[in-house]
DNA sequence: CGATCATGATACCGAAAAGGTATGGATTTA
DNA sequence: TAAATCCATACCTTTTCGGTATCATGATCG
């Protein structure tokens, strides 16, 4: 049966039009080359090269076959290279699910760095509401997720990549609006706006712990799912809120963010299934280490 | 070394994810398949398939390799098919040089028929002034030429494909203008417009022979290279001319073409080098036979 | 929990194929 | 006409391939 080796032989022969020199270039003696070419022609049922006493010439079929064989060999070699590249995690696909907060903190740098280092990886990024993310990663719909630390989850490996402090968002006419910093005592009797426990429970928990450590229960007036909503409601004067510092970016002019003494913090983590064999994931994880600082 | 056979094995294996069934489909027993896959993986330095006790799964590199291998195999098989098709003259290139007259007679039908029968042949048609055509065919710049019969030419095979009669082109106010037919006696003392001997010598020769057979020498007043020019000069009343009947098509309204008794004729021939090995030429020649009538 | 089954790997053997050396035949060159 | 060039062929050795038999490892089932 015809194989790629015969194609390589033929291409070299076609380039030299000389059995002896082609064989030499192939690190082969001349008779095996003659035989392989003859076998190739026999299997194809087509004469590819015309042997004259002085110099050989390609037949029309041979010259067509030369074109095609070059293309086949190139794609063959590329297939082999691609397999290795895919194995090294330099070629393929990597899908990352992330919660919205990550878009304001670690995601941009991480994605930029990864794309620059692995341009051949098709990086798919999709935002997912935080509480759905763990399930999606577990189900294999994402190679990794960026979310607030959910504690230990069976079947997931988790690594902190970013620690973010909360700050106090107040509306312009609020009594704290001009302050540089605030402490837990300042929010003791303030009605707070917070995320519902099921959407971004880590923030909610951090807020509650912060208040409890100071000896009181927070007064949650309003619950919203999205941080944008919370900021908006603060702007409308319906209450104040503890929000991640990165949310400053989407704070409206009428909202000011005040640093908190001993500010509570929430942790961004990477989560992935340790059984995930996507080689691209390894590189992504390796790259996410230096970015930790 | 990796070869295309291992790729085929791998593709089948990847499609079944089962060594036993893949081997069966390949008309092979299972151990050789296992060994070939192992060898493939070893040569690539990449694990392509994960063996579990219940079912095998592709690694990421394997699934990439599957895509690529399919493409390689397809192009490999196509290269082989193409070589055969090229050898049968169904794929490749065929260049035909033709004199202008052919565009009014045999060329359109021939080209249409050939293109319809051999759509994968890149048919290159180029008009060439008649007296240059023989040289170009001899030099190999055309696979064949369509021209007036030049008699025997060393190194060329020649085959008549069309016999065309000459007719008499006269201007509107000429005394013969109303006639249905004419004979040699009618042009005895007429000043004729003819092609120069070096451009379309066959027509010139046919005209001269026609007159000489009737016992007189033609009076050539004007010589032109192109038939269009001749027709134009006739229209301008500078003389009358014997032109191939197909030239009626480009006759101006003021020119009428009159049939000649015992009309002289010129022969269109195909000319090609018998040493030309282009398989497409054989088919073209075969096809030009039925068109002879 | 042990027997059985399914699945792929390994060991070993004979057949096929590949490459090497020596040489022959045809044609060109000196 | 002798020498040289070039590809084909003959023959041998080595390598590779596929086949059979068998083993190791988990999964399945009574």
């Amino acid at each position: 049966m015809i194989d790629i080796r015969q194609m390589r032989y033929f291409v070299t022969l076609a380039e030299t039009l000389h059995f002896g020199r082609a064989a030499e270039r192939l690190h082969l003696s001349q008779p095996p080359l003659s035989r392989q070419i003859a076998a190739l022609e026999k299997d194809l049922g087509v004469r590819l090269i015309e042997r004259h006493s002085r110099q050989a010439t390609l037949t029309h079929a041979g010259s067509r076959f030369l074109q095609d064989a070059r293309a086949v060999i190139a794609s063959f070699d590329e297939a082999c290279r691609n397999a290795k590249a895919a194995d090294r995690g330099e070629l393929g696909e990597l899908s990352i699910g992330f919660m919205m907060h990550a878009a304001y903190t670690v995601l941009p740098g991480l994605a930029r760095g990864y794309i620059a280092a692995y341009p051949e990886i098709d990086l798919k990024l999709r935002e997912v509401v935080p509480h759905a993310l763990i399930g999606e990663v577990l189900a294999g719909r994402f190679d990794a997720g960026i979310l607030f630390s959910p504690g230990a989850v069976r079947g997931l490996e988790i690594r902190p990549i970013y620690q973010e402090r909360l700050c106090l968002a107040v509306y312009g006419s609020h009594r704290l609006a001009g302050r540089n910093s605030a402490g837990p005592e300042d929010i003791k009797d303030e009605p707070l706006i917070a995320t519902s426990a099921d959407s971004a429970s880590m923030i909610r928990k951090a807020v509650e712990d912060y208040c409890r450590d100071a000896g009181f229960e927070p007064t949650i007036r309003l619950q919203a799912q999205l941080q944008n909503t919370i900021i908006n409601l603060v702007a409308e004067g319906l209450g104040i809120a503890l929000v991640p510092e990165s949310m400053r970016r989407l704070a409206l002019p009428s909202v000011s963010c005040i640093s908190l003494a001993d500010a509570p913090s929430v942790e961004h983590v990477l989560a992935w299934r340790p059984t995930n064999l996507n080689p691209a994931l390894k590189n992504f994880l390796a790259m996410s280490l230096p970015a930790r600082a």
Side-chain angles (χ1 to χ4, degrees), chain A:
Chain A
M1 198 44 48
I2 304 171
D3 75 354
I4 201 99
R5 180 172 37 88
Q6 294 174 318
M7 277 197 182
R8 292 189 202 274
Y9 288 3
F10 173 73
V11 169
T12 303
L13 174 60
E15 283 167 354
T16 60
L17 293 173
H18 189 290
F19 283 74
R21 277 187 281 279
E24 191 180 2
R25 200 195 285 183
L26 290 164
H27 309 293
L28 207 66
S29 63
Q30 168 262 319
L33 175 61
S34 285
R35 261 182 290 129
Q36 289 298 335
I37 298 297
L40 174 61
E41 290 178 321
K42 184 173 168 230
D43 285 343
L44 282 173
V46 173
R47 177 149 281 249
L48 298 174
I49 193 160
E50 219 61 60
R51 287 85 161 162
H52 307 115
S53 40
R54 197 87 212 108
Q55 201 193 17
T57 55
L58 291 181
T59 63
H60 285 73
S63 118
R64 173 73 201 202
F65 192 65
L66 174 59
Q67 286 179 248
D68 290 347
R70 282 188 173 128
V72 169
I73 290 167
S75 71
F76 180 95
D77 293 344
E78 205 199 333
C80 296
R81 280 196 307 276
N82 284 351
K84 290 174 193 158
D87 187 58
R88 287 190 305 266
E90 294 168 4
L91 181 66
E93 203 180 296
L94 182 70
S95 62
I96 304 291
F98 63 94
M99 59 174 182
M100 174 269 260
H101 290 88
Y104 293 88
T105 57
V106 288
L107 185 74
L110 217 50
R112 255 196 302 272
Y114 186 74
I115 289 170
Y118 301 99
E120 297 298 322
I121 293 281
D122 184 13
L123 178 64
K124 295 194 183 303
L125 298 169
R126 215 181 81 211
E127 185 189 339
V128 176
V129 289
H131 69 277
L133 197 41
I134 289 184
E136 304 240 16
V137 173
L138 272 170
R141 278 190 288 278
F142 293 111
D143 292 306
I146 305 177
L147 64 163
F148 290 133
S149 169
V153 174
R154 186 186 166 77
L156 280 193
E157 195 107 358
I158 281 174
R159 176 201 295 163
I161 49 171
Y162 191 72
Q163 188 84 12
E164 187 175 24
R165 309 199 319 168
L166 300 187
C167 63
L168 188 62
V170 301
Y171 46 91
S173 59
H174 192 272
R175 64 178 171 91
L176 293 172
R179 295 269 289 275
N180 276 333
S181 69
E185 66 284 359
D186 293 313
I187 60 171
K188 185 162 183 197
D189 296 313
E190 289 281 347
L192 295 181
I193 307 175
T195 54
S196 51
D198 62 333
S199 70
S201 61
M202 298 318 296
I203 298 184
R204 172 69 173 254
K205 192 165 172 303
V207 170
E208 288 173 348
D209 289 350
Y210 183 62
C211 296
R212 282 177 193 141
D213 286 353
F216 64 94
E217 277 293 312
T219 316
I220 310 288
R221 176 190 275 172
L222 259 169
Q223 297 191 51
Q225 282 218 340
L226 302 179
Q227 292 288 319
N228 306 53
T229 311
I230 292 174
I231 297 284
N232 230 15
L233 296 176
V234 169
E236 294 289 347
L238 289 176
I240 64 176
L242 279 87
V243 298
E245 285 190 319
S246 61
M247 291 300 104
R248 275 194 158 122
R249 287 230 223 143
L250 44 84
L252 307 166
S254 59
V255 173
S256 46
C257 294
I258 301 164
S259 299
L260 286 170
D262 291 323
S265 65
V266 288
E267 198 168 48
H268 291 44
V269 301
L270 263 178
W272 70 94
R273 285 183 308 154
T275 58
N276 185 324
L277 293 175
N278 188 345
L281 178 59
K282 274 199 291 292
N283 295 332
F284 184 79
L285 294 176
M287 165 154 290
S288 70
L289 271 179
R292 187 178 184 173

